[in-house]
Amino acid sequence: MHAPDGFLNLGTAVTTGAVSATAVGGALRHMRSTLSDKQVPLAGLAGAFIFAAQMVNFPVAAGTTGHLLGGALAAILLGPATGAVVVTVVVVVQALAFADGGLTALGYNVLNMAVVTAFGGYGVFVLLRRVLPDNASGVIAATGLAAGLSVALSAMAFSIEWLFGATAPVPFDTVFGAMVGVHVLIGVGEGVISALAVGAVLAARPDLVHGARDLSRAQTADRARIGMRGFAIGAVLVTLVVAAVVSQFAASAPDGLERVAQDQGLVAQAQDHALAGGPFADYATDGVRNQQASLAIAGGAGVAVTLLVGLGIGFAVRDRRSGRFTGARAPTASS
Amino acid sequence: MGAGHAHPLYVHGHSRVHRMAPEAKVAAAVTFVAAVAITPRQALWAFGVDAACLAGAIIASGIGPRFVLRRLAVVLPFVAFALFIPFVASGDRVDVFGLSLSREGLWGAWNVLVKATLGASASILLAGTTEIPRLLTGASRLRVPATLTAIASFMVRYLEVIAGELGRMRTAMAARGYAPRWLWQARPIATGAGALFVRSYERGERVHAAMLARGYTGAMPDLGERRASIGEWAVAAALPTIAWLAAVTALTGVLT
């Protein structure tokens, strides 16, 4: 989601710019204090890798493809500070030299795509490492979940920025639902690919995985074999659970956030929108009494519907996909 | 790599815009886009002024309006989002061709469309007339932290190499009949990405060793490129000044 200029209002652009500059500045200082001048060429090559990784098109379903974002992957391979700096450089160069994302939108683009994915993704990774076993399987599983969730976190960050800096009165629920719903699915691919990529690095050069430095040689070699089909189905199940949990947040937290925004006069009075009468309006299911359960069902159904629509589109266009092997970055619909 | 491999957005030329010192160009682009971003959306004339100025600069640069239009495709995903806004936004509804749309939402869509188009056009003009190394020189002269620009310059320098390796991996996989359609067939792609990371990292280690062997002390030598003169700054300031005048006039007009 390389947002263009003027997508969010001036205040949000300046505020997110200050937050991003502080976070990246801190990461830069940390980077300089921990390692020598060797860090610069290594980070540059890692940046080229992340840039190239965003060209890696992987199949999603029925021949449609997605591509990696790489924020969490960079943080797990290089450490959160270096990872955030590297992805920031990628985002800035994309804006400056490829006109991908607005120059005045760099504040929120860097925040959402570099800072939130790298630090947020790494935070989730560290938490998961505590509960998962101390071996290669544990690291790979933690990577998958953290990378997938980092994409959802990024979408959440964007929705919250929209709440404060919207340039059109689209209700928060709609933006949150659409952004997080779509990105939870993108997160499945991100998680699966990141996990397998880290697995491959662990097998070849375990010392290069920052997030697995505490593992001994024996622990690194200890990995369970599971089939790809099981892996993918597991990923989709995790997605449904995440959607169910996230929809709880969508229902409760925004009230607080909207309140804050309203108190500061930042949001015009919220009004019900055209779909208010729909079966999943306000992300609750009609006819289900228990509020939590109904929200969870609505969230899960949202993901299922998006998945099916995506599959349908995939089947519809599958024969038209071109098999060209160009190095050019194909424009992609999301992020 | 070899010579002559400029990035895909660069158009070779010798116009006045091409020759301008990079720091002046980067500063002008950023301030121009900032002026566009703060212009109130009802001030149609101000956007007209901005577009006319930008069009003049694009013609002067000789990169061609067709090139700019083709490259504008990068904003298409957000155009799609903008077209969606009038349907879901709240507020008064107006009927357009039998569709009930939100008046506020239509303004919101217009706002996103016009600012994204003008902003992206300005970026395309900047990237189209400035090679990446010069862009980075410009950025570092504008006090962007040296570590960031140094990392960016390594990244840009090796991007083609790494992307080339990726391309050869894809060709090799396709040559062996690999045509995945579902996510669970993606393992070779993911392990390939892992292998690509290891190769990139090891290349970085070799690059660093080679730099040390050639006397690297932690800072890149300054190649002594010409800095912007006062006259150049003045020329570069023309566009953003007009845009800011338009934006401020429109703002005060709206506020009073």
Side-chain angles (χ1 to χ4, degrees):
Chain A
M1 63 196 130
H2 293 85
D5 291 299
F7 202 70
L8 298 174
N9 68 16
L10 180 70
T12 312
V14 172
T15 315
T16 52
V19 173
S20 299
T22 314
V24 175
L28 271 174
R29 270 196 300 282
H30 178 80
M31 224 178 116
R32 279 192 216 123
S33 67
T34 49
L35 261 177
S36 58
D37 55 341
K38 192 179 176 184
Q39 198 75 320
V40 169
L42 286 179
L45 266 294
F49 163 74
I50 294 295
F51 210 119
Q54 295 189 349
M55 302 175 198
V56 174
N57 284 314
F58 54 82
V60 180
T64 48
T65 59
H67 73 88
L68 266 180
L69 307 178
L73 179 64
I76 290 162
L77 288 173
L78 304 163
T82 312
V85 168
V86 163
V87 184
T88 300
V89 169
V90 172
V91 172
V92 171
V93 169
Q94 280 167 346
L96 211 52
F98 294 85
D100 205 359
L103 292 174
T104 58
L106 272 176
Y108 38 94
N109 281 343
V110 166
L111 185 64
N112 297 340
M113 288 191 284
V115 175
V116 168
T117 55
F119 288 110
Y122 198 78
V124 174
F125 175 79
V126 169
L127 288 178
L128 287 170
R129 281 289 318 273
R130 295 216 173 134
V131 291
L132 290 168
D134 261 341
N135 58 24
S137 302
V139 171
I140 293 170
T143 303
L145 290 167
L149 277 174
S150 76
V151 180
L153 283 177
S154 174
M156 279 188 213
F158 180 85
S159 313
I160 292 168
E161 287 151 24
W162 178 266
L163 181 61
F164 287 95
T167 48
V170 180
F172 176 78
D173 299 23
T174 311
V175 173
F176 188 92
M179 284 297 290
V180 177
V182 170
H183 283 81
V184 160
L185 282 171
I186 293 176
V188 177
E190 179 88 7
V192 169
I193 302 290
S194 301
L196 291 168
V198 165
V201 180
L202 272 179
R205 286 277 307 263
D207 56 312
L208 296 191
V209 183
H210 184 278
R213 285 190 167 173
D214 52 321
L215 294 188
S216 69
R217 215 162 230 281
Q219 283 169 329
T220 323
D222 178 14
R223 55 199 293 179
R225 290 233 146 259
I226 55 163
M228 268 307 280
R229 201 178 278 255
F231 204 82
I233 291 170
V236 172
L237 287 180
V238 170
T239 310
L240 289 175
V241 173
V242 169
V245 173
V246 163
S247 50
Q248 310 288 327
F249 175 83
S252 53
D255 296 341
L257 285 167
E258 234 157 48
R259 175 80 188 284
V260 173
Q262 261 168 15
D263 288 350
Q264 303 186 358
L266 289 166
V267 180
Q269 69 274 31
Q271 291 174 344
D272 281 342
H273 56 92
L275 299 175
F280 296 122
D282 286 330
Y283 294 90
T285 320
D286 279 351
V288 179
R289 282 288 167 80
N290 181 324
Q291 206 206 349
Q292 266 85 31
S294 87
L295 284 167
I297 292 170
V303 168
V305 167
T306 320
L307 193 62
L308 287 175
V309 170
L311 267 177
I313 295 172
F315 277 120
V317 301
R318 67 176 171 181
D319 295 330
R320 299 235 227 114
R321 87 201 140 106
S322 63
R324 283 178 302 151
F325 291 98
T326 54
R329 230 171 85 86
T332 43
S334 54
S335 313
Chain B
M1 292 222 292
H5 281 223
H7 68 93
L9 269 189
Y10 180 70
V11 182
H12 184 72
H14 300 282
S15 72
R16 196 171 182 152
V17 186
H18 279 82
R19 278 180 283 131
M20 193 179 281
E23 63 269 35
K25 251 190 288 189
V26 173
V30 173
T31 43
F32 175 81
V33 172
V36 171
I38 65 155
T39 305
R41 58 196 184 183
Q42 289 93 342
L44 303 186
W45 63 270
F47 292 116
V49 170
D50 294 343
C53 291
L54 199 55
I58 288 169
I59 291 165
S61 73
I63 60 172
R66 206 185 269 173
F67 173 82
V68 176
L69 289 179
R70 215 170 48 233
R71 289 296 171 180
L72 273 178
V74 291
V75 298
L76 278 182
F78 281 88
V79 170
F81 181 89
L83 293 181
F84 195 58
I85 293 176
F87 293 96
V88 293
S90 55
D92 292 352
R93 317 294 292 183
V94 284
D95 281 335
V96 181
F97 303 120
L99 296 168
S100 169
L101 302 177
S102 152
R103 188 186 299 278
E104 271 292 296
L106 283 172
W107 276 115
W110 156 252
N111 183 56
V112 169
L113 278 180
V114 69
K115 289 179 179 175
T117 311
L118 285 171
S121 306
S123 302
I124 291 165
L125 176 63
L126 174 67
T129 57
T130 324
E131 287 144 300
I132 296 184
R134 299 192 68 218
L135 272 179
L136 295 174
T137 313
S140 68
R141 284 181 189 166
L142 294 169
R143 306 282 160 87
V144 173
T147 318
L148 277 187
T149 54
I151 293 174
S153 70
F154 275 102
M155 186 186 101
V156 167
R157 209 169 291 148
Y158 287 95
L159 182 58
E160 289 292 317
V161 179
I162 307 292
E165 282 198 34
L166 177 69
R168 287 192 293 282
M169 282 172 154
R170 277 190 202 163
T171 311
M173 288 198 283
R176 286 157 182 78
Y178 178 64
R181 296 202 30 223
W182 302 91
L183 185 57
W184 53 82
Q185 297 168 330
R187 185 191 281 273
I189 293 177
T191 50
L196 190 65
F197 172 74
V198 173
R199 287 189 198 175
S200 310
Y201 198 92
E202 289 176 345
R203 188 185 288 276
E205 290 173 329
R206 291 197 300 278
V207 167
H208 181 247
M211 285 162 66
L212 289 182
R214 286 159 180 78
Y216 178 64
T217 53
M220 294 299 273
D222 187 358
L223 294 178
E225 208 187 329
R226 191 175 51 83
R227 280 169 186 270
S229 64
I230 293 180
E232 237 172 338
W233 276 111
V235 173
L239 225 67
T241 309
I242 297 172
W244 273 94
L245 282 177
V248 170
T249 315
L251 272 176
T252 47
V254 167
L255 294 178
T256 50

